[in-house]
Amino acid sequence: MNFDHSINRPKLNLTLGFALATGLILSASCGDLAIDLRDNGAAVSIAASDATIEDSSKVVLSGGLLRSKAVGTATMGCEVTGSDGASSAASSTYPFRINSSVAGSTKVHANAFTAPTFMRIQSFSLLLDKNGDPSSAMRLQFYAASGDLPSGSPLAAAVDQSISSVISDPDSPNVVTFTLASPYEASPGQYAITMRPQGAVSGIDNFAWATSNSTNSCSGFPSYKQSSNDGTTYTDDPVVSYRKSIFTVTADTHASLGSVSWIVNGNGKVNWIMSTFSFSENPSGGTAGTITYEIGVGNDSNTPSYSYSNLSQTAVRALADLTGDYLYVRATLSVSGIGFDRAVLGNGSVTVK
């Protein structure tokens, strides 16, 4: 019997079958279509610089980061009011340190305070007085503090001020503002400011920093300190240990809410792996704002729609994978309270396959 061996029959590609079983090859060709047999997806960048800022009066792009915009300034500080048991209107109610204990260029006055959150500090305003006609300029310096005392080297300094040029009448206090040479971005924590003469002063011609002697004053502030050895050691006020220096801190305030958005193109891939969603939140030190997200998918490259809202980044990562040509992301930057703090958002990414 003769057999015709020329008949075409389907053949199993043993090499491909073996590869599928063992995972030893990366791709196979079928005509012009290349199939990646290990396609686990690709990371798609979501750049801060590509965001649509919905209101430029609330969010700005600066240094490659999206930031809550500074919209003004506000003050916090040790200010004596009538409820504190002392009057800010009558100078005679303030005890001034204008005796020999403040004379000499090695004398330093200090008072600590606590930044409750991030603060971009611009200036300090102090209630000052002079005795006689001191010619020395005064220098304000800003320090980290430990145990209510200045610690380490100055973090920032203000332009020196001549007390005599600002205060014309001895024993009549004036508010004197010392502006930092550059705004200082302070993280939450304790800080201190110091005042020291930059030249000779005497028991007759010197300056004074007004303090309150009311136990009710400035309850959130530690007591005034003074040093006779250029800040090597400090002591409490020698007369009343609970005195607090009178001063205010002026810092930037930021927009309470602002939003940015992206329409992210999957470039032909439609499965968004939400567990890989990642954004750099508050990457610069000291920021304390909150960032929440709205998420959606669809086939429209112009008009986004959102299925999920008010999610933290952790909550976004907990979502099931989403399917659509485009991923819609909207981020809201918010700050609390008076707005000293600031929300900052950097770059992001997500995997699609």
Side-chain angles (χ1 to χ4, degrees):
M1 181 180 292
N2 295 325
F3 292 93
D4 184 356
H5 297 284
S6 64
I7 299 173
N8 292 326
R9 295 180 176 87
K11 297 180 180 179
L12 174 64
N13 186 331
L14 297 179
T15 303
L16 177 59
F18 178 73
L20 289 173
T22 62
L24 292 179
I25 67 172
L26 302 182
S27 64
S29 293
C30 180
D32 294 328
L33 175 63
I35 305 171
D36 187 347
L37 302 180
R38 295 194 315 177
D39 187 0
N40 292 320
V44 178
S45 297
I46 310 175
S49 59
D50 292 336
T52 297
I53 297 175
E54 298 179 5
D55 187 340
S56 60
S57 70
K58 297 180 179 179
V59 177
V60 295
L61 178 69
S62 175
L65 300 172
L66 296 157
R67 307 172 188 265
S68 304
K69 186 173 183 179
V71 294
T73 60
T75 61
M76 61 161 280
C78 182
E79 298 174 292
V80 175
T81 65
S83 61
D84 292 327
S87 169
S88 59
S91 63
S92 60
T93 64
Y94 294 117
F96 288 98
R97 313 308 304 142
I98 53 174
N99 54 34
S100 58
S101 68
V102 299
S105 59
T106 61
K107 307 297 183 182
V108 185
H109 303 252
N111 219 124
F113 70 97
T114 297
T117 181
F118 167 84
M119 296 180 71
R120 189 171 186 268
I121 298 174
Q122 298 278 3
S123 63
F124 297 88
S125 296
L126 286 62
L127 187 61
L128 300 179
D129 193 16
K130 68 178 181 180
N131 183 43
D133 190 21
S135 59
S136 170
M138 296 300 139
R139 177 169 296 171
L140 181 145
Q141 291 175 303
F142 176 59
Y143 291 80
S146 177
D148 301 342
L149 298 176
S151 176
S153 300
L155 302 174
V159 177
D160 294 349
Q161 294 252 28
S162 171
I163 300 300
S164 290
S165 66
V166 179
I167 302 173
S168 59
D169 182 16
D171 298 325
S172 179
N174 282 59
V175 174
V176 180
T177 296
F178 291 79
T179 301
L180 297 181
S182 297
Y184 187 85
E185 298 192 354
S187 301
Q190 191 180 64
Y191 298 90
I193 54 175
T194 64
M195 286 287 295
R196 66 184 75 205
Q198 294 304 291
V201 291
S202 68
I204 298 174
D205 298 311
N206 55 49
F207 80 100
W209 186 359
T211 59
S212 171
N213 64 349
S214 168
T215 56
N216 297 322
S217 293
C218 309
S219 59
F221 287 73
S223 61
Y224 156 88
K225 307 292 183 181
Q226 63 181 33
S227 172
S228 60
N229 53 15
D230 203 28
T232 301
T233 59
Y234 285 89
T235 61
D236 289 326
D237 184 284
V239 179
V240 181
S241 62
Y242 53 75
R243 292 196 202 277
K244 315 291 178 63
S245 298
I246 300 170
F247 69 99
T248 57
V249 185
T250 299
D252 287 344
T253 58
H254 299 88
S256 58
L257 287 173
S259 296
V260 298
S261 61
W262 296 263
I263 299 176
V264 187
N265 189 345
N267 293 315
K269 300 182 179 184
V270 297
N271 296 314
W272 301 90
I273 314 304
M274 300 313 297
S275 62
T276 66
F277 183 88
S278 177
F279 261 97
S280 176
E281 296 182 348
N282 293 324
S284 55
T287 54
T290 300
I291 298 167
T292 57
Y293 300 90
E294 295 173 66
I295 300 293
V297 290
N299 301 319
D300 190 339
S301 62
N302 297 305
T303 307
S305 59
Y306 303 100
S307 301
Y308 305 93
S309 60
N310 198 32
L311 299 181
S312 67
Q313 183 166 187
T314 299
V316 174
R317 290 173 181 159
L319 293 175
D321 295 348
L322 303 176
T323 301
D325 290 338
Y326 297 92
L327 177 70
Y328 310 131
V329 179
R330 186 171 186 259
T332 297
L333 287 66
S334 63
V335 301
S336 60
I338 198 170
F340 283 135
D341 55 352
R342 179 183 63 190
V344 179
L345 186 62
N347 295 328
S349 66
V350 64
T351 296
V352 62
K353 67 178 183 177

